Amino acid sequence: TARHTSGQTIVILAPSKKKRRKAKTGTNAQTIPRIVREAIIPDPGMVLFYADLRQVEDRIVAYAGGVKKKIHAFETGINAHSLSAAGYFNCTVEDVEREKEECKKRYVEPPMYYIGKQGNHAFNYGEGPRTFKTNFNKKVDETGIKITEAQAKAIRQKHLKLYPEIEYGYWAWIKETLLTKRMRLTNPFGYERVLYGNPKDDRTFRDAYSWYPQSTAPEIINRAMIRIDKRLPEVEMFIHMHDAIFGQVPEAQAD
C-alpha cells in the first residue's frame, strides 16, 4: 500500500506464493496507472524516457480533411485540445491553459481541457451525443467530470461548427473513397482495409473515420522503434503504446 502526494491510496496486490515462484521479471507497463508509474525508477546509469506523437490522430484527420483551424494550431504551436475547449466554452486558449496548470498542481483533471480532448477524439470520428455522453461518463470516478446528454449534444454542435471541414472534408472524402473503391480504404502507409458493413449504415463510415488515423499512428511508432534499435541499440524500449514509446536510455544519450 502506498500513498501518493495527491492523497490517493494505492493498493498493489502481490501474487500468491505459488504464482510468485513461477514469476519472471517484467510486466505490461501499459496497464500500470499513471499515478503508479511515478514510482518507477530506471536502472543505474539510465534515465526513463517517454516519447509520444503529440495529438497525432487529430493531426492526421486535420491534414487529411484540410481542417484549417487545426492545421494553423499545429503549425503555430497552439494546443489543439485547448483550442477546441476554448470554442466549446467561449473563452480563450489562455484561459484553458491557465485552468490546466492550476489543476495540475492539485493532481486533478482540468475540466475544460479534458472535454476539449475527448471532443476532438470522439467527434472527429462521427460519434453521436448519446454515445459521447456514455463513454465520457464511464471515467467519472477517475476524472470527477460528468456531462449530460444535452451538454454532449451542444458540445458536438460547437465542434462541427468550429471545424466544418471535418464533416465536409474528411468525412466526405472517406465516404467518397469507400463508395468508389468497393468499400476499400488505404492508409498513408499503403495498408488496405475492406469494410463489410452496410454502405447505407453510418456506423460503417464511422468505423472508417477512426481506422484511417488509428492505423497510421502505430505504424509511425513501429518504424521509429526499428530506426532507434538500429541507430541506438543501447536504448531499451519497454513498450509500444500506440502513439508513444516508453523505455530507458543511458544518461549520456538522453538528449
Side-chain angles (χ1 to χ4, degrees), residues 164-218:
E165 299 93 342
I166 289 175
E167 184 174 3
Y168 302 111
Y170 181 66
W171 295 355
W173 168 68
I174 293 284
K175 284 184 178 180
E176 183 182 5
T177 300
L178 291 174
L179 295 175
T180 57
K181 295 190 175 181
R182 301 175 66 183
M183 300 303 287
R184 283 174 163 79
L185 185 62
T186 305
N187 79 3
F189 289 104
Y191 293 106
E192 183 182 76
R193 180 176 175 185
V194 181
L195 286 99
Y196 295 100
N198 186 341
K200 294 183 180 179
D201 189 340
D202 282 343
R203 287 177 294 184
T204 303
F205 294 115
R206 289 199 296 270
D207 198 9
Y209 301 155
S210 59
W211 177 80
Y212 186 82
Q214 288 176 354
S215 66
T216 301

